[in-house]
Amino acid sequence: MELIEKVVERENLIQALKRVRENKGAPGVDGMTVDELVPYLRTHWPRLKQELLDNRYRPQPVRAVEIPKPQGGIRLLGIPCVVDRFIQQAILQALTPLFEPLFSQFSFGYRPGKNSQMAVQAGFAYAKEGYDWVVDLDVEKFFDRVNHDILMSRVYRRVKDKRLLKLIRVFLKTGIMRGGVLQPREEGTPQGSPLSPLLSNVYLDDLDKELTKRGLKFCRYADDCNVYVKSKANGETVMSSLKRFLWKRLKLKLNEKKSEVARPWKKSFLGHTMTQTKSRLVVSPQSVKRAKEKMKGLFRKGRGQHLGQVIKEVNQFSRGWVAYFKLANQWSVYEELDGWTRRRFRWLLWRQWKRKRIRIKKLMALGLDKDTALLWGLKNRGPWWHSKQSHLNSTVTSAWLHNQGLLSFLGMHRRLAVSS
């Protein structure tokens, strides 16, 4: 049986469908939602299957979505249509067993049984062993610059099925719809595609093998790679040689502004950093800033929502954030975020209580006497100013917000620490 036939096997397709439905995601250029996929496949799958087997299947263009980067600039995501996501997921499941055993143990991104916390722990362990200079490799626009010929030559090492090879290349070359204009793609693999994570690891496996051959300590998560050495001079030598290697072998360039040799406690790796004494992992200041920016968006959106809905959305974010940073032993950050979040809820409530008479009424309902409620309710100051004053701190307390359902960053972190 050839590999393309394994792709369209019933059990593989059932698993692919399950995964696509779990991942949900936005519609592609055809507007089809995940919920509409099953009815569509009931009618059209026999035709699609035959097209795949006959090498006649042609994906639809990828929908471009621009996402602001935390450090500035734009990240371009490519959202395939739901049917193409389903087919790519089926291909991914057939390819993973072929490539997974070949990958480095120090590659942690998008792999079964591995995650970002493992990468962070590996880097932390290297630093504690005395490899306390880090060569931070920042590949310039990696997902946009993947060379298709180089990538396909790496795929060919394990995949000999010509039909599947041609299908993968067709997916790579599928154009991207941006601003109503279809743009051809001669390089790159779109972020947002189920196949892209595996293909990125296939592409960068040459880098992993080169680092291993040189006996270097490293950890890589997708295109985010740190190499740990014992001196700055050694780090600069490694940086220079890897810059040449990446261009010569993979046609990739380093971002000169972001790639550097530095102490690991002065750098952020996957949102984490460490204390200068190398005694513990902590959350990077940039990650705290990004968390606040994300929540600001939820609060701005929540001005016209019921308080319970805003709390639900903030809780959803904070649960994921605390779980991601569970290795960071830094209670002060969780306390800071708790205090900031409570103040944001006070700001939100003051915005929602638009009229002075409503503000006075609400403050009295929360326990203030009439004179005090009048004093504060009639002040012509902005909501952010009011959010820090005693009339809201004494009424919209942490206990009151907890009773409304708000979860505590610190409380969740403590529970995770105990359970682990």
Side-chain angles (χ1 to χ4, degrees):
M1 181 187 292
E2 292 200 65
L3 204 52
I4 188 67
E5 290 163 339
K6 290 185 178 180
V7 169
V8 299
E9 273 188 330
R10 177 178 172 79
E11 289 305 315
N12 189 53
L13 295 173
I14 290 172
Q15 186 61 36
L17 180 60
K18 179 182 178 183
R19 183 57 59 89
V20 170
R21 294 174 75 178
E22 286 174 350
N23 291 342
K24 299 180 181 178
V29 293
D30 61 355
M32 184 187 296
T33 66
V34 172
D35 292 335
E36 295 170 314
L37 178 58
V38 171
Y40 180 85
L41 291 176
R42 286 196 186 107
T43 302
H44 297 278
W45 177 245
R47 171 183 60 82
L48 295 172
K49 178 180 178 180
Q50 200 57 51
E51 288 179 0
L52 289 166
L53 293 173
D54 293 346
N55 247 335
R56 293 184 291 111
Y57 184 79
R58 293 296 177 268
Q60 296 193 58
V62 171
R63 182 169 68 88
V65 177
E66 293 183 346
I67 306 294
K69 288 184 178 180
Q71 290 85 16
I74 295 294
R75 174 179 287 111
L76 186 66
L77 298 184
I79 309 298
C81 72
V82 176
V83 174
D84 289 333
R85 294 210 296 270
F86 166 65
I87 293 170
Q88 286 195 40
Q89 180 64 37
I91 296 171
L92 171 66
Q93 291 166 188
L95 292 181
T96 297
L98 295 179
F99 287 100
E100 183 59 31
L102 306 178
F103 291 150
S104 167
Q105 62 177 310
F106 305 109
S107 166
F108 297 92
Y110 312 127
R111 296 184 60 194
K114 290 183 177 287
N115 56 39
S116 60
Q117 283 95 351
M118 292 178 180
V120 170
Q121 283 178 311
F124 185 44
Y126 291 145
K128 290 177 75 173
E129 289 171 12
Y131 296 87
D132 51 7
W133 285 90
V134 61
V135 182
D136 183 3
L137 303 174
D138 190 292
V139 179
E140 188 173 77
K141 297 182 179 179
F142 168 71
F143 284 94
D144 297 332
R145 298 283 169 79
V146 168
N147 182 287
H148 290 174
D149 290 334
I150 294 175
L151 173 58
M152 291 307 300
S153 72
R154 273 50 176 179
V155 175
Y156 181 74
R157 291 171 181 172
R158 296 293 292 170
V159 178
K160 304 303 180 183
D161 185 334
K162 292 181 180 179
R163 288 177 293 176
L164 186 54
L165 288 167
K166 183 176 180 181
L167 180 59
I168 294 170
R169 189 178 279 274
V170 167
F171 272 117
L172 287 172
K173 289 192 171 297
T174 299
I176 187 163
M177 190 69 73
R178 193 173 186 182
V181 177
L182 180 61
Q183 300 176 348
R185 187 167 63 233
E186 297 302 324
E187 60 180 2
T189 175
Q191 289 180 269
S193 147
L195 263 178
S196 286
L198 175 66
L199 295 179
S200 70
N201 278 330
V202 171
Y203 200 82
L204 289 172
D205 189 54
D206 278 19
L207 173 61
D208 296 342
K209 286 181 168 46
E210 178 68 15
L211 294 170
T212 301
K213 185 175 75 174
R214 297 185 188 186
L216 292 168
K217 308 288 186 181
F218 75 97
C219 44
R220 182 177 65 79
Y221 191 93
D223 59 326
D224 201 341
C225 184
N226 277 1
V227 183
Y228 294 84
V229 295
K230 289 191 172 183
S231 71
K232 185 176 183 181
N234 190 11
E236 289 173 345
T237 300
V238 168
M239 175 73 80
S240 179
S241 64
L242 289 178
K243 178 181 176 181
R244 291 192 300 271
F245 172 84
L246 284 166
W247 176 248
K248 184 177 180 180
R249 183 73 65 87
L250 299 173
K251 300 304 178 190
L252 294 174
K253 291 182 179 180
L254 290 180
N255 186 321
E256 301 284 355
K257 293 182 179 179
K258 295 182 180 179
S259 298
E260 64 174 324
V261 179
R263 294 292 197 179
W265 51 85
K266 293 186 177 180
K267 296 292 296 181
S268 171
F269 182 47
L270 301 174
H272 297 73
T273 187
M274 64 186 74
T275 58
Q276 187 168 345
T277 58
K278 298 174 282 186
S279 60
R280 58 194 172 100
L281 287 164
V282 293
V283 183
S284 72
Q286 304 97 307
S287 296
V288 176
K289 183 179 178 181
R290 287 197 291 270
K292 290 179 180 179
E293 288 299 321
K294 175 66 176 178
M295 286 193 289
K296 276 183 185 179
L298 297 178
F299 283 111
R300 282 193 293 268
K301 187 178 71 171
R303 284 181 289 188
Q305 292 180 331
H306 187 273
L307 180 65
Q309 179 60 31
V310 184
I311 288 176
K312 180 181 177 182
E313 293 184 13
V314 170
N315 284 346
Q316 185 178 4
F317 170 79
S318 61
R319 278 194 198 98
W321 197 90
V322 170
Y324 182 83
F325 287 104
K326 64 183 179 182
L327 298 176
N329 185 14
Q330 192 181 15
W331 285 23
S332 60
V333 162
Y334 301 105
E335 290 174 335
E336 175 191 345
L337 286 171
D338 276 336
W340 184 90
T341 304
R342 289 194 294 268
R343 186 176 178 187
R344 273 285 157 189
F345 271 107
R346 294 171 187 132
W347 169 88
L348 176 67
L349 288 170
W350 201 256
R351 289 293 300 261
Q352 290 181 342
W353 304 339
K354 295 181 180 179
R355 300 179 185 277
K356 291 179 179 179
R357 60 179 180 81
I358 295 175
R359 289 170 175 171
I360 293 166
K361 183 179 178 180
K362 291 287 186 181
L363 289 173
M364 291 175 64
L366 287 169
L368 287 187
D369 62 79
K370 185 176 181 179
D371 289 343
T372 305
L374 280 167
L375 174 68
W376 289 106
L378 294 173
K379 284 187 181 293
N380 291 318
R381 301 294 296 267
W384 191 240
W385 181 86
H386 278 279
S387 69
K388 198 176 182 181
Q389 306 307 313
S390 61
H391 58 294
L392 288 179
N393 278 302
S394 63
T395 53
V396 184
T397 62
S398 57
W400 186 87
L401 286 167
H402 175 75
N403 288 336
Q404 308 308 307
L406 181 65
L407 298 175
S408 160
F409 281 85
L410 181 57
M412 286 188 285
H413 174 65
R414 281 173 169 164
R415 286 192 291 275
L416 269 178
V418 170
S419 63
S420 59

